[in-house]
Amino acid sequence: MAAGEAAPLAVSGVKLCKTFITKSHSVQALRDVDISLPAGSLTALAGPDGAGKTTLMRLLTGLYAADSGELTVLGLDAKRQTQALQTRIAYMPQRFGLYEDLSVQENLDLYADMHGVPAVERPARYAELMEMTDLSKFLGRLAGRLSGGMKQKLGLACALVRWPELLLLDEPTVGVDPLSRRELWQIIRRLVAQQGITVLVSTAYLDEAEHCRQAIVLAEGRVLAACAPQELSRAAAGKVFLLTPPPGQAARNLQARLLDRPTVADALPQGAGVRVTLRQPLADPADAPWPAQTQWQAAVPNFEDGFMLLTSAAEPRLPPVLVLHHDGRAPPAAAGEIVIEVRDLVRRFGDFVAVNHVSFQVRRGEIFGLLGPNGAGKTTTFRMLCGLLAASSGELRVLGQDLRFARAASRRRIGYVAQKFALYGELSVRENLEFFASAYGLRGGRRRERLHWAIEQFELSVMLDVPSGRLPGGYRQRLAMAAALMHEPEVLFLDEPTSGADPRARREFWRRITDLSDQGVTVIVTTHFMEEAEYCDRALIQDGGRILAQGAPAEIRRLGARPDGGAPTMENAFISIVSQARLHE
Amino acid sequence: MWAMCLRVWALTIKEWLAVLKDKRSRLSLIMPPLVQCLIYGYAATYDLNHIPYAWLDNDRGAASQALYAKFAGSGVFDLRATPPNAEQARRLISEREALLIVQIETDFQRHLELGEPAAVQVIADGRNSNTAAAATAYASAIVDQFNVEWRAAHGAPPPPLQVFSRSWYNPNLETRWYMAPSMIATLSLVQTMMLTALSVAREREQGTFDQLLVTPYSANEIMLGKALPAMFIGLGQASLVVVVAQLWFHIPFAGSYLTLYAGLSAFMLAAVGAGLLISAFSATMQQAMLYTFFLLMPFMLLSGLTTPIGNMPESLQYLTLMNPLRFALTLVQRVYLEGADLALLRPYFMPLLIIGALSLSGAALLFRYRLN
């Protein structure tokens, strides 16, 4: 459809404003937001955490009323005709209300009852939904026992028990592995193509926006861009480059250094090199922010480059380098020593083998990634490493010991950041830090120094007295990291630390991780973001409990080589490795 | 050792903060025991203070007037009606307007003066047997007293047998004197058990338990850190009830505070043990809550608080030996009302300590088992 051609609008909003007022302060969630969604279109809503994405979605559902501005949804006034509106739209919030103790079928029935779907229509409707989501084999399974990806698909099916005219999905792919993510998007695209439904999807995965006809970029409550994703990519033309670091330098070190340059909008490790987005086109190669001996070439810009270019101008600089030891202590023993050794590790739950003869080694100072689709066994492996779960058989050594039976002294040498925010929500930032300092046996002057270090390095001073449960997302993660690092651990365990974080927060996080690794800290990390495997020294891919691939990112990428000989991305490699292995089953 | 103490102390402080920081949760520690204590103090009583009765006097002489004066002056009986005949009196009972009818025969005065037995008929509403029995007992006590005084005034020899009853430790046999000290133990049990049972389950639900397990804390230290703050809070609540019993209900405290708190501490140990045992079993707060209620009911019924243990079937009597509240109730009553000392209280201390030790080590074992 050519631009300018009059398409009927499913949603049209003008100058929408919404302010939340709490006891202490008010937050302007949306400022003069204009939005128009053509009927039957697929639109992505992107933006950093706290940009107002969820607020905008909830305005469209009529759950919130705008403070000012006009909003028409499906020809209805969203403020006044809420009831009529809600029978014609479907909304899937970030945490969809699945009843975990009910089976898949019972969840469907419940939602059909709530939406008043007549009994005669149900069989056909269910069949359609199950065919679409491929859940028919699991009708009897409890929703709580489904994997993350399957839960999201069931959530989508429940939201769709009655065909809506407008479907709103709030970050449906958070915490979902690449394979399931791909399936979800296939479903969404089919809904638009075959049913003519108008769909708005908010997402933290910027590559997903490229599937959409329109992308809206929101930051601090304002629309920065509303256009075809390709248009945003084009804005980065001439500013994106692929660098190959000089031999002997790790790509992530070059990347970390580049992020500090004022002319650089974004830098990411990609393949063996670094992808850089400059704020201005490179007029003279002599002005390039990278070292002279670096090889470089221009790259084709994508949506993420354009997005980072757009949003980085508004956001604060990344934090300075993270220094683990406040007293300038030298990192312990040279790299190379084996810190974690796992041999023939097996874990069974009844008949189900969650981890099947897994073996690997991690050396001091390495960043080691555990990758795999939902339910692959990586979390089980991770929990056994931390000593939170017993192994059924096999050998497991962290710093020479099995942490399950380790004495306090050895556990003092590791740090742990859980997947979900797992600090005490009712306690303030300061009280949490003080508790974990004492838990790790810090006292006296050392305790004071380390508390000071944590507050300083993680820039927590403005939030000290805020209950940690009320912290904004970015601060929560920093607090969790601070609490895990105060005692200067030698090994750091991180379980899906970047799940649900925006691109900026993810870069900030990885920068700290690479800093730590440079200082000799061994890092074990699980992640769903395949491109993040590029930050790892080595990674392993698990599925069905077994190791499918293991090695440096470049080696893993090679395993997933495409038949056409093109360079695969980490995500392509991952998908091809996993689907090939499943094919052989 | 010192390092361990510091760690446990940190955990205790953390638990304290988690419970006490929030104004609502602070109130929820103080208000329920206070309100319950007042309700029990006023409402839970076996004493009859206002017995509605009707006076049917068929004689209307000086003697019956004297007897009537005794009833009116007793402070226990409230006159509701003076029905003219038996028919109307019957209706008063049927319609629950009076609990008791005192009926004087026509020749009451004459019989008395002749030294012959005179009859006073007392008719009670038997639909509530406990109350009826208590009310008739009060009435016959008044009549007995009337007899003694009549004989003395008319130069007759006193009756050959007379009962002089005196109750020690509770001179007026007020139920409140028995109830308030019982509340000291009962009310603190409820919250201590709930607090410990929920605190571990809450950490499991919020994912902070894993975070705790990867720190240098051992399973025993975690349990200790959970037990101590709950014990302190339980003791605090017990103190609150002690204060109300003394300052509000004016029930004199006969014993030593040291003994009382030693006893309460032993009891709290057992309560916390039960709470931790529940938390080792339950994965969610909902489960913990259900198990706690499931245990609290028999703890209350089998404690002897409302019905004497001696009245229970023998098998149930054995079951009460596992109930910490049973021992704590008697212990607190004996310290409070009777001023019993530690040596006298040994039979209550030992079971409490044994129950505490068993439940705590059971909880520790279960924790470690579940972690494996």
Side-chain angles (χ1 to χ4, degrees):
Chain A
M1 192 183 299
E5 187 182 322
L9 288 183
V11 173
S12 129
V14 183
K15 287 203 172 304
L16 298 171
C17 290
K18 179 77 189 170
T19 303
F20 292 102
I21 298 166
T22 60
K23 242 186 265 169
S24 48
H25 57 300
S26 65
V27 182
Q28 259 190 299
L30 295 176
R31 315 174 198 215
D32 295 327
V33 167
D34 294 339
I35 178 173
S36 56
L37 305 181
S41 69
L42 175 55
T43 304
L45 185 57
D49 281 338
K53 303 192 293 282
T54 300
T55 310
L56 182 58
M57 287 233 168
R58 294 180 75 102
L59 282 189
L60 298 188
T61 60
L63 289 170
Y64 288 160
D67 297 334
S68 64
E70 289 298 316
L71 179 59
T72 313
V73 180
L74 302 171
L76 299 168
D77 184 333
K79 215 185 253 182
R80 284 174 201 92
Q81 293 163 293
T82 318
Q83 204 64 55
L85 178 63
Q86 282 171 355
T87 59
R88 292 168 60 190
I89 59 175
Y91 170 51
M92 188 164 121
Q94 269 177 37
R95 277 197 210 150
F96 188 72
L98 284 178
Y99 294 86
E100 305 230 320
D101 300 325
L102 295 183
S103 69
V104 170
Q105 179 70 58
E106 287 162 338
N107 267 292
L108 279 174
D109 287 338
L110 189 70
Y111 275 90
D113 288 343
M114 287 200 280
H115 289 285
V117 179
V120 284
E121 288 175 20
R122 288 186 192 185
R125 187 94 197 92
Y126 288 168
E128 211 172 349
L129 289 171
M130 289 301 101
E131 196 264 328
M132 178 179 95
T133 53
D134 206 19
L135 284 174
S136 37
K137 279 176 290 181
F138 305 103
L139 278 176
R141 191 180 287 190
L142 292 186
R145 309 277 297 271
L146 296 176
S147 72
M150 291 204 283
K151 273 186 197 163
Q152 289 302 78
K153 286 200 270 183
L154 176 58
L156 189 57
C158 288
L160 291 170
V161 283
R162 192 175 29 76
W163 278 134
E165 290 162 66
L166 171 66
L167 175 62
L168 304 165
L169 303 169
D170 199 355
E171 305 210 350
T173 51
V174 163
V176 174
D177 67 76
L179 276 169
S180 313
R181 218 145 57 83
R182 204 167 267 203
E183 289 168 6
L184 262 171
W185 272 96
Q186 279 164 1
I187 297 171
I188 295 170
R189 277 199 297 272
R190 256 172 62 197
L191 282 173
V192 176
Q194 297 174 2
Q195 312 286 338
I197 298 176
T198 314
V199 181
L200 178 66
V201 190
S202 73
T203 179
Y205 292 85
L206 296 173
D207 56 324
E208 293 178 346
E210 290 184 48
H211 303 310
C212 300
R213 193 165 96 185
Q214 189 190 204
I216 299 175
V217 178
L218 219 55
E220 292 180 345
R222 284 204 181 83
V223 176
L224 294 187
C227 56
Q230 296 75 18
E231 217 173 294
L232 206 60
S233 313
R234 272 200 295 279
K239 300 174 187 169
V240 186
F241 302 91
L242 266 180
L243 313 184
T244 313
Q249 190 178 19
R252 65 176 192 234
N253 290 349
L254 176 60
Q255 178 252 353
R257 211 156 311 152
L258 283 170
L259 279 174
D260 280 336
R261 302 297 168 94
T263 53
V264 172
D266 186 29
L268 266 183
Q270 189 185 55
V274 178
R275 187 184 184 95
V276 182
T277 309
L278 302 181
R279 290 183 196 277
Q280 298 299 327
L282 191 61
D284 178 0
D287 296 339
W290 47 82
Q293 64 272 46
T294 315
Q295 288 189 324
W296 58 276
Q297 63 186 94
V300 183
N302 61 27
F303 181 78
E304 181 158 351
D305 300 324
F307 175 88
M308 292 307 289
L309 195 59
L310 200 61
T311 54
S312 68
E315 297 215 18
R317 304 287 314 155
L318 286 172
V321 172
L322 177 67
V323 181
L324 179 63
H325 306 290
H326 65 281
D327 45 11
R329 185 143 59 92
E337 169 202 359
I338 290 172
V339 177
I340 294 176
E341 183 155 30
V342 172
R343 220 178 299 145
D344 253 349
L345 190 66
V346 175
R347 172 71 208 202
R348 288 185 207 87
F349 294 103
D351 293 338
F352 175 65
V353 186
V355 173
N356 199 348
H357 296 283
V358 162
S359 307
F360 60 89
Q361 290 177 339
V362 184
R363 290 167 191 282
R364 188 175 291 280
E366 271 188 327
I367 301 179
F368 190 82
L370 294 174
L371 317 179
N374 297 120
K378 58 184 191 309
T379 301
T380 312
T381 309
F382 184 85
R383 287 176 63 81
M384 284 192 282
L385 280 178
C386 299
L388 290 170
L389 193 71
S392 302
S393 70
E395 242 184 284
L396 189 137
R397 292 264 171 282
V398 176
L399 294 166
Q401 277 191 304
D402 184 342
L403 286 178
R404 281 189 65 64
F405 309 108
R407 308 202 61 92
S410 345
R411 269 190 270 146
R412 199 170 291 140
R413 295 165 67 192
I414 66 153
Y416 169 85
V417 179
Q419 181 176 354
K420 242 173 49 178
F421 177 73
L423 301 183
Y424 297 97
E426 53 290 20
L427 268 58
S428 72
V429 170
R430 186 200 304 275
E431 287 158 350
N432 265 299
L433 288 175
E434 284 173 349
F435 169 65
F436 282 101
S438 309
Y440 281 102
L442 300 177
R443 43 186 134 127
R446 176 138 203 89
R447 179 182 143 102
R448 260 197 312 281
E449 281 163 21
R450 290 311 287 173
L451 282 169
H452 180 75
W453 169 88
I455 294 163
E456 198 88 324
Q457 290 280 331
F458 290 91
E459 298 170 325
L460 293 167
S461 50
V462 288
M463 293 288 181
L464 275 183
D465 297 314
V466 178
S468 66
R470 270 190 249 146
L471 286 178
Y475 276 99
R476 278 190 192 199
Q477 216 222 358
R478 277 193 253 162
L479 174 60
M481 286 276 283
L485 288 171
M486 258 189 303
H487 59 292
E488 299 158 89
E490 293 168 46
V491 182
L492 182 61
F493 290 96
L494 301 153
D495 195 6
E496 296 197 12
T498 48
S499 180
D502 67 48
R504 195 87 197 157
R506 293 210 299 267
R507 284 168 183 62
E508 188 184 313
F509 166 81
W510 277 106
R511 183 191 166 101
R512 291 199 160 106
I513 294 303
T514 45
D515 289 346
L516 287 173
S517 157
D518 288 345
Q519 292 163 62
V521 179
T522 313
V523 180
I524 315 293
V525 58
T526 69
T527 179
H528 275 326
F529 288 93
M530 288 308 129
E531 67 269 34
E532 291 186 346
E534 301 283 5
Y535 290 102
C536 300
D537 290 297
R538 287 187 311 118
L540 69 78
I541 293 182
Q542 257 180 307
D543 189 38
R546 285 181 302 117
I547 294 184
L548 299 186
Q550 181 175 185
E555 292 164 15
I556 292 178
R557 252 181 284 117
R558 226 172 291 136
L559 286 174
R562 293 195 310 221
D564 63 5
T569 62
M570 188 54 98
E571 179 155 335
N572 288 332
F574 173 85
I575 290 176
S576 92
I577 289 168
V578 172
S579 23
Q580 266 178 31
R582 287 187 179 173
L583 220 66
H584 287 299
E585 297 270 299
Chain B
M1 187 62 202
W2 177 236
M4 183 196 125
C5 290
L6 281 179
R7 275 204 303 269
V8 171
W9 180 244
L11 196 54
T12 311
I13 295 284
K14 185 225 96 185
E15 292 290 316
W16 267 104
L17 283 174
V19 176
L20 297 179
K21 262 200 95 169
D22 181 41
K23 195 172 158 202
R24 262 178 312 173
S25 105
R26 265 199 315 266
L27 272 181
S28 78
L29 288 182
I30 297 177
M31 287 317 282
L34 199 64
V35 170
Q36 282 168 334
C37 174
L38 289 175
I39 289 178
Y40 271 98
Y42 283 111
T45 171
Y46 303 116
D47 310 339
L48 295 173
N49 289 320
H50 300 281
I51 305 169
Y53 79 109
W55 185 259
L56 175 52
D57 191 347
N58 292 325
D59 187 47
R60 293 175 194 274
S64 66
Q65 274 309 307
L67 183 61
Y68 170 71
K70 282 242 161 279
F71 271 88
S74 69
V76 175
F77 289 90
D78 283 356
L79 182 68
R80 282 299 153 87
T82 46
N85 53 44
E87 189 51 43
Q88 287 202 18
R90 179 201 298 274
R91 246 208 1 257
L92 286 171
I93 292 260
S94 306
E95 284 164 16
R96 290 183 191 270
E97 275 179 48
L99 187 67
L100 213 69
I101 294 165
V102 184
Q103 187 175 338
I104 309 290
E105 299 307 319
T106 26
D107 292 330
F108 187 68
Q109 174 104 23
R110 201 167 57 84
H111 283 304
L112 278 178
E113 275 165 3
L114 291 173
E116 289 169 8
V120 176
Q121 186 168 201
V122 174
I123 301 159
D125 180 353
R127 282 172 291 194
N128 183 341
S129 56
N130 274 339
T131 323
T136 31
Y138 283 1
S140 39
I142 288 177
V143 172
D144 282 346
Q145 210 186 348
F146 176 86
N147 276 337
V148 174
E149 285 171 19
W150 178 270
R151 279 170 170 266
H154 292 79
L161 279 181
Q162 256 181 345
V163 178
F164 292 96
S165 68
R166 189 148 294 138
S167 35
W168 286 357
Y169 311 123
N170 183 1
N172 296 321
L173 280 177
E174 283 180 64
T175 315
R176 191 177 291 157
W177 282 45
Y178 160 79
M179 223 28 128
S182 310
M183 284 304 112
I184 296 172
T186 314
L187 294 184
S188 52
L189 170 77
V190 177
Q191 293 232 347
T192 312
M193 256 175 75
M194 195 80 98
L195 218 57
T196 29
L198 287 185
S199 78
V200 181
R202 185 181 299 121
E203 293 222 23
R204 277 218 181 90
E205 251 177 46
Q206 296 180 344
T208 49
F209 201 60
D210 281 351
Q211 189 80 54
L212 213 51
L213 288 175
V214 296
T215 61
Y217 281 113
S218 70
N220 287 343
E221 286 167 11
I222 293 177
M223 283 198 10
L224 206 58
K226 293 274 166 198
L228 283 175
M231 281 177 68
F232 286 133
I233 287 173
L235 286 177
Q237 291 184 328
S239 313
L240 189 73
V241 184
V242 172
V243 168
V244 172
Q246 287 191 59
L247 298 186
W248 186 261
F249 291 124
H250 300 293
I251 304 168
F253 182 73
S256 110
Y257 285 103
L258 207 66
T259 319
L260 178 72
Y261 279 92
L264 283 175
S265 301
F267 175 48
M268 287 295 115
L269 204 67
V272 160
L276 283 174
L277 211 51
I278 292 173
S279 71
F281 270 110
S282 35
T284 63
M285 290 172 72
Q286 205 177 14
Q287 278 178 20
M289 188 91 95
L290 276 174
Y291 290 145
T292 309
F293 279 118
F294 180 75
L295 266 190
L296 271 176
M297 231 16 201
F299 272 1
M300 297 283 195
L301 284 176
L302 299 179
S303 67
L305 173 66
T306 45
T307 49
I309 290 170
N311 291 3
M312 298 172 191
E314 203 170 334
S315 50
L316 279 186
Q317 289 193 31
Y318 284 117
L319 212 57
T320 62
L321 296 178
M322 286 160 44
N323 182 1
L325 187 57
R326 174 207 158 134
F327 300 103
L329 271 188
T330 328
L331 188 147
V332 174
Q333 281 162 6
R334 294 198 57 180
V335 179
Y336 196 109
L337 297 175
E338 158 190 346
D341 60 13
L342 277 173
L344 271 173
L345 295 172
R346 252 180 78 99
Y348 313 106
F349 263 105
M350 293 319 287
L352 283 177
L353 290 176
I354 290 169
I355 294 171
L358 283 180
S359 57
L360 281 172
S361 39
L365 269 176
L366 243 138
F367 262 118
R368 240 167 283 151
Y369 173 78
R370 279 198 54 152
L371 294 182
N372 286 314

